[in-house]
């Protein structure tokens, strides 16, 4: 399929300028597993899970050589739910009221057009992952997927779930540094909620962020921050997410560390959550790897913020342990298994991905066995 599309593109451009060479690629992931989750006071769920190792998706990307080192490109990438045949919703304005319905396939992951130059970098316009989420992908041993993902804790905003700009942003313009800067890499992004200038919440959904990193040999480190404006209410307010992550491949194991700091300025006070995670990949059986992680969320919210029972929210901490194994059958196909256990304290109700929210202060756990195929 990839070769066919590339050939068709080349034939279609045969009458154009000699330097205008194009390529279009279809790519994707199918990842489906069997999952069981249980929560104290919340019951259990047996399900066919999706994305336990890598997010299921289908995508289209293409480039055109414009000459002189300049290239035009596009990227369309949609999440898939193979267990139902549907897709995941996108968000049109980085706000709660911009969320679409679940089911239809949308290009919720990436949807942008770009211009790039080998010396001057790349400019993207459209929808993309926000700067801090790239650290979540690269420095979480579970790659922000499955029951043991760090995102069970780090994606949490005012409550236990993500705010609209925790992972992706719409209506964005971003600049990416070129390669060849001695290991330095980075990007900066702005996005808009596209509200009416006369609306009381005209700035809601507007955000800005950046990421800067350095990679050399077996070592990689990056820091990122994103700030989104929301008028303060009881459930949402100005949202700042900053993180720093690193990895080091020592040969016998690859080590990861990720630290996240989240603040949400609600009308009644400020939510503050700091999460630290450490983990590793350990090679096993020549074609596999063991994955390990431990994460701790420390809630430091204002004393004025209280749970329904009157106790302060800053006691609502959580810990999570994850272990898994990936067995590669080929370069494109892998079997995997993962187990996670999440322990809440205070009235915290954090939950492993795919599970039912537990009662306050109770644990959540889950396991999944699956197969992933790349195409």
């Amino acid at each position: 399929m990839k070769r066919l599309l590339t050939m068709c593109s080349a034939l279609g451009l045969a009458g154009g300028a000699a330097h205008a060479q194009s390529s279009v690629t279809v790519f994707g992931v199918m990842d489906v597993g069997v999952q069981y989750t249980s929560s104290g006071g919340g019951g259990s769920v047996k399900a066919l899970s999706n994305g336990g190792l890598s997010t299921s998706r289908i995508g289209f990307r293409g480039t055109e050589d414009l000459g002189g080192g300049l290239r035009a490109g596009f990227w369309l990438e949609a999440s898939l739910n193979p267990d139902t045949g549907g897709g995941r919703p996108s968000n049109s304005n980085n706000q709660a009221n911009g969320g679409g319905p679940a089911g239809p396939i949308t290009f919720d992951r990436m949807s942008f057009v770009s211009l790039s130059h080998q010396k001057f970098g790349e400019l993207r316009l459209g929808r993309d992952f926000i700067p801090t989420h790239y650290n979540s992908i690269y420095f979480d041993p579970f790659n922000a997927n499955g029951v043991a993902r760090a995102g069970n804790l780090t994606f949490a905003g005012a409550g236990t779930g993500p705010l609209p700009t925790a992972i992706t942003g719409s209506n964005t313009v971003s600049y990416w540094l070129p390669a060849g800067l001695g290991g330095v890499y980075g990007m900066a992004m702005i996005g808009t909620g596209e509200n009416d200038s006369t609306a009381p919440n005209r700035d809601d959904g507007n955000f800005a962020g950046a990421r800067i990193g350095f990679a050399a040999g077996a070592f990689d480190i990056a820091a990122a921050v994103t700030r989104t404006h929301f008028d303060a209410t009881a459930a949402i307010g100005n949202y700042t997410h900053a993180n720093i992550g690193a990895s080091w491949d020592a040969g016998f194991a690859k080590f990861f560390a990720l630290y996240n700091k989240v603040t949400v300025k609600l009308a009644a006070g400020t939510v503050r959550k700091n999460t630290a995670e450490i983990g590793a990949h350990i090679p096993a059986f020549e074609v596999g790897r063991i994955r390990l992680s431990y994460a701790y969320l420390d809630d430091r919210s204002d004393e004025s913020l209280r749970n329904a029972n009157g106790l302060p929210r800053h006691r609502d901490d959580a810990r999570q342990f994850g272990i898994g194994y990936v067995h590669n059958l080929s370069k494109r196909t892998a079997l995997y298994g993962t187990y996670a256990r999440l322990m809440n304290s205070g009235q915290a109700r954090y939950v492993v991905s795919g599970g039912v929210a537990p009662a306050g202060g109770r644990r959540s756990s889950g396991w999944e066995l699956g197969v992933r195929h790349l195409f």
Side-chain angles (χ1 to χ4, degrees), residues 75 94 107 109-114 123-129 168-174 189-192 207:
W75 195 298
N94 308 318
F107 295 110
R109 290 173 60 84
M110 293 182 176
S111 174
F112 62 79
V113 65
S114 66
L123 182 69
R124 298 180 182 178
L125 295 90
R127 180 173 173 84
D128 203 342
F129 292 117
T168 49
S170 289
N171 318 315
T172 75
V173 178
S174 63
M189 175 182 287
I190 59 172
T192 175
F207 73 90

Side-chain angles (χ1 to χ4, degrees), residues 188-209:
M189 175 182 287
I190 59 172
T192 175
E194 298 187 340
N195 296 308
D196 187 333
S197 62
T198 63
N201 66 332
R202 58 185 176 274
D203 293 325
D204 279 11
N206 294 348
F207 73 90

Side-chain angles (χ1 to χ4, degrees), residues 198-252:
T198 63
N201 66 332
R202 58 185 176 274
D203 293 325
D204 279 11
N206 294 348
F207 73 90
R211 180 174 184 250
I212 188 74
F214 175 77
F219 182 73
D220 190 5
I221 186 170
V225 62
T226 306
R227 184 181 185 277
T228 310
H229 179 90
F230 296 107
D231 282 354
T233 67
I236 202 170
N238 285 341
Y239 167 49
T240 302
H241 184 184
N243 60 18
I244 183 169
S247 65
W248 175 52
D249 192 340
F252 65 91

Side-chain angles (χ1 to χ4, degrees), residues 30-33 47-51 56 80-86 88:
M30 292 292 280
D31 183 328
V32 183
L48 204 62
S49 64
N50 166 42
S56 295
L80 299 175
N81 291 322
D83 52 332
T84 64
R88 297 183 185 179

Side-chain angles (χ1 to χ4, degrees), residues 69-149:
L70 185 65
R71 301 182 72 88
F74 76 92
W75 195 298
L76 296 169
E77 187 171 329
S79 300
L80 299 175
N81 291 322
D83 52 332
T84 64
R88 297 183 185 179
S90 185
N91 187 298
S92 63
N93 62 5
N94 308 318
Q95 300 163 65
N97 63 8
I105 294 176
T106 65
F107 295 110
D108 60 305
R109 290 173 60 84
M110 293 182 176
S111 174
F112 62 79
V113 65
S114 66
L115 284 174
S116 62
H117 192 280
Q118 57 190 17
K119 292 184 178 179
F120 304 119
E122 180 182 12
L123 182 69
R124 298 180 182 178
L125 295 90
R127 180 173 173 84
D128 203 342
F129 292 117
I130 65 166
T132 44
H133 189 61
Y134 281 99
N135 281 351
S136 297
I137 295 171
Y138 294 121
F139 301 124
D140 173 9
F142 290 89
N143 305 107
N145 280 291
V147 292
R149 66 180 189 178

